[in-house]
Amino acid sequence: MATTLRKPQRSLKKWTAQKWTTASGKKSSKTGEVYAPKKTIAKLKSTAAGRKKLAAANKKKRQATRKGKQHARHGLHKGKKR
């Protein structure tokens, strides 16, 4: 008997299947970079505007980290359906 997954379960399954990383591939705790899906990082790195957006997000992440916060509102995930 096949069970149908509820929306939150489908979302979690999709999120789990994604390969998450930083732009450098190093640990976020060491570099202070944002953590995002590999496809998103590649897409941002491919254009000048994307690199600028990624740099701004990393700056916000590092500022929040310096203040002792684990999470930062950097805007990379804004408007994404997750």
Side-chain angles (χ1 to χ4, degrees), residues 3-81:
T3 58
T4 306
L5 297 176
R6 293 188 329 257
K7 188 175 181 177
Q9 293 169 318
R10 287 191 309 268
S11 177
L12 181 60
K13 190 173 183 177
K14 181 181 174 185
W15 180 84
T16 305
Q18 293 175 333
K19 303 293 182 201
W20 286 65
T21 187
T22 60
S24 67
K26 297 177 183 175
K27 287 187 173 188
S28 180
S29 60
K30 301 289 182 192
T31 62
E33 294 175 307
V34 294
Y35 199 61
K38 198 171 191 172
K39 286 183 180 181
T40 303
I41 297 286
K43 190 175 180 182
L44 288 169
K45 288 172 83 175
S46 68
T47 64
R51 287 188 294 274
K52 188 175 180 181
K53 188 174 182 178
L54 188 59
N58 285 333
K59 182 178 177 182
K60 286 183 182 182
K61 171 70 175 174
R62 288 183 180 114
Q63 288 173 345
T65 302
R66 270 189 242 115
K67 291 180 183 177
K69 297 185 179 187
Q70 181 180 3
H71 304 288
R73 292 187 175 264
H74 49 71
L76 278 187
H77 307 299
K78 192 175 186 178
K80 300 283 183 185
K81 292 184 179 180

